mmCIF file of all heavy atoms in Angstrom:
data_model
loop_
_atom_site.group_PDB
_atom_site.id
_atom_site.type_symbol
_atom_site.label_atom_id
_atom_site.label_comp_id
_atom_site.label_asym_id
_atom_site.label_seq_id
_atom_site.Cartn_x
_atom_site.Cartn_y
_atom_site.Cartn_z
ATOM 1 N N ALA A 1273 208.147 161.246 140.555
ATOM 2 C CA ALA A 1273 206.795 161.671 140.171
ATOM 3 C C ALA A 1273 206.595 163.167 140.426
ATOM 4 O O ALA A 1273 205.948 163.861 139.624
ATOM 5 C CB ALA A 1273 205.756 160.862 140.945
ATOM 6 N N SER A 1274 207.148 163.678 141.513
ATOM 7 C CA SER A 1274 207.032 165.106 141.817
ATOM 8 C C SER A 1274 207.759 165.955 140.780
ATOM 9 O O SER A 1274 207.247 167.001 140.349
ATOM 10 C CB SER A 1274 207.599 165.406 143.203
ATOM 11 O OG SER A 1274 206.855 164.748 144.197
ATOM 12 N N VAL A 1275 208.939 165.516 140.390
ATOM 13 C CA VAL A 1275 209.699 166.264 139.382
ATOM 14 C C VAL A 1275 208.963 166.245 138.044
ATOM 15 O O VAL A 1275 208.812 167.291 137.390
ATOM 16 C CB VAL A 1275 211.135 165.701 139.247
ATOM 17 C CG1 VAL A 1275 211.844 166.291 138.047
ATOM 18 C CG2 VAL A 1275 211.923 165.967 140.520
ATOM 19 N N ILE A 1276 208.482 165.084 137.644
ATOM 20 C CA ILE A 1276 207.744 164.989 136.372
ATOM 21 C C ILE A 1276 206.468 165.827 136.435
ATOM 22 O O ILE A 1276 206.159 166.579 135.502
ATOM 23 C CB ILE A 1276 207.433 163.515 136.032
ATOM 24 C CG1 ILE A 1276 208.722 162.774 135.685
ATOM 25 C CG2 ILE A 1276 206.435 163.424 134.881
ATOM 26 C CD1 ILE A 1276 208.556 161.273 135.542
ATOM 27 N N GLY A 1277 205.731 165.732 137.546
ATOM 28 C CA GLY A 1277 204.512 166.524 137.696
ATOM 29 C C GLY A 1277 204.802 168.016 137.688
ATOM 30 O O GLY A 1277 204.063 168.800 137.070
ATOM 31 N N GLY A 1278 205.860 168.415 138.341
ATOM 32 C CA GLY A 1278 206.239 169.820 138.353
ATOM 33 C C GLY A 1278 206.609 170.336 136.980
ATOM 34 O O GLY A 1278 206.240 171.451 136.588
ATOM 35 N N ILE A 1279 207.343 169.527 136.233
ATOM 36 C CA ILE A 1279 207.723 169.917 134.866
ATOM 37 C C ILE A 1279 206.478 170.036 133.987
ATOM 38 O O ILE A 1279 206.369 170.959 133.175
ATOM 39 C CB ILE A 1279 208.749 168.921 134.282
ATOM 40 C CG1 ILE A 1279 210.080 169.062 135.027
ATOM 41 C CG2 ILE A 1279 208.933 169.132 132.796
ATOM 42 C CD1 ILE A 1279 211.100 168.010 134.690
ATOM 43 N N ILE A 1280 205.543 169.129 134.158
ATOM 44 C CA ILE A 1280 204.297 169.205 133.381
ATOM 45 C C ILE A 1280 203.539 170.489 133.713
ATOM 46 O O ILE A 1280 203.043 171.172 132.815
ATOM 47 C CB ILE A 1280 203.428 167.949 133.634
ATOM 48 C CG1 ILE A 1280 204.075 166.727 132.986
ATOM 49 C CG2 ILE A 1280 202.007 168.150 133.106
ATOM 50 C CD1 ILE A 1280 203.416 165.407 133.333
ATOM 51 N N VAL A 1281 203.461 170.815 135.000
ATOM 52 C CA VAL A 1281 202.773 172.045 135.397
ATOM 53 C C VAL A 1281 203.478 173.271 134.805
ATOM 54 O O VAL A 1281 202.826 174.196 134.313
ATOM 55 C CB VAL A 1281 202.677 172.151 136.938
ATOM 56 C CG1 VAL A 1281 202.209 173.522 137.375
ATOM 57 C CG2 VAL A 1281 201.752 171.079 137.487
ATOM 58 N N ILE A 1282 204.798 173.270 134.831
ATOM 59 C CA ILE A 1282 205.561 174.405 134.293
ATOM 60 C C ILE A 1282 205.338 174.547 132.793
ATOM 61 O O ILE A 1282 205.197 175.659 132.276
ATOM 62 C CB ILE A 1282 207.063 174.242 134.615
ATOM 63 C CG1 ILE A 1282 207.293 174.424 136.123
ATOM 64 C CG2 ILE A 1282 207.913 175.230 133.825
ATOM 65 C CD1 ILE A 1282 208.692 174.073 136.578
ATOM 66 N N THR A 1283 205.289 173.426 132.079
ATOM 67 C CA THR A 1283 205.131 173.496 130.624
ATOM 68 C C THR A 1283 203.708 173.849 130.196
ATOM 69 O O THR A 1283 203.492 174.245 129.054
ATOM 70 C CB THR A 1283 205.542 172.170 129.953
ATOM 71 O OG1 THR A 1283 204.771 171.109 130.488
ATOM 72 C CG2 THR A 1283 207.020 171.902 130.161
ATOM 73 N N LEU A 1284 202.722 173.708 131.096
ATOM 74 C CA LEU A 1284 201.349 174.046 130.741
ATOM 75 C C LEU A 1284 201.163 175.547 130.525
ATOM 76 O O LEU A 1284 200.448 175.954 129.611
ATOM 77 C CB LEU A 1284 200.386 173.560 131.834
ATOM 78 C CG LEU A 1284 200.185 172.056 131.934
ATOM 79 C CD1 LEU A 1284 199.273 171.732 133.115
ATOM 80 C CD2 LEU A 1284 199.610 171.487 130.658
ATOM 81 N N ASP A 1285 201.786 176.350 131.364
ATOM 82 C CA ASP A 1285 201.583 177.787 131.280
ATOM 83 C C ASP A 1285 202.757 178.493 131.948
ATOM 84 O O ASP A 1285 203.266 178.034 132.978
ATOM 85 C CB ASP A 1285 200.269 178.162 131.985
ATOM 86 C CG ASP A 1285 199.852 179.592 131.735
ATOM 87 O OD1 ASP A 1285 200.527 180.287 130.961
ATOM 88 O OD2 ASP A 1285 198.848 180.012 132.332
ATOM 89 N N GLU A 1286 203.188 179.611 131.385
ATOM 90 C CA GLU A 1286 204.300 180.368 131.966
ATOM 91 C C GLU A 1286 203.950 180.927 133.333
ATOM 92 O O GLU A 1286 204.829 181.139 134.163
ATOM 93 C CB GLU A 1286 204.697 181.519 131.038
ATOM 94 C CG GLU A 1286 205.476 181.097 129.833
ATOM 95 C CD GLU A 1286 205.906 182.294 129.000
ATOM 96 O OE1 GLU A 1286 205.821 183.436 129.492
ATOM 97 O OE2 GLU A 1286 206.335 182.076 127.872
ATOM 98 N N ASP A 1287 202.680 181.181 133.576
ATOM 99 C CA ASP A 1287 202.261 181.733 134.863
ATOM 100 C C ASP A 1287 202.327 180.697 135.985
ATOM 101 O O ASP A 1287 202.233 181.053 137.155
ATOM 102 C CB ASP A 1287 200.827 182.277 134.764
ATOM 103 C CG ASP A 1287 200.731 183.447 133.795
ATOM 104 O OD1 ASP A 1287 201.762 184.131 133.591
ATOM 105 O OD2 ASP A 1287 199.640 183.660 133.245
ATOM 106 N N LEU A 1288 202.487 179.425 135.640
ATOM 107 C CA LEU A 1288 202.493 178.361 136.635
ATOM 108 C C LEU A 1288 203.896 177.874 136.996
ATOM 109 O O LEU A 1288 204.058 176.803 137.573
ATOM 110 C CB LEU A 1288 201.654 177.178 136.137
ATOM 111 C CG LEU A 1288 200.172 177.452 135.910
ATOM 112 C CD1 LEU A 1288 199.494 176.230 135.334
ATOM 113 C CD2 LEU A 1288 199.500 177.880 137.201
#
Side-chain angles (χ1 to χ4, degrees):
S1274 297
V1275 170
I1276 291 171
I1279 291 171
I1280 290 172
V1281 169
I1282 290 171
T1283 57
L1284 289 177
D1285 190 4
E1286 284 183 14
D1287 296 334
L1288 297 176

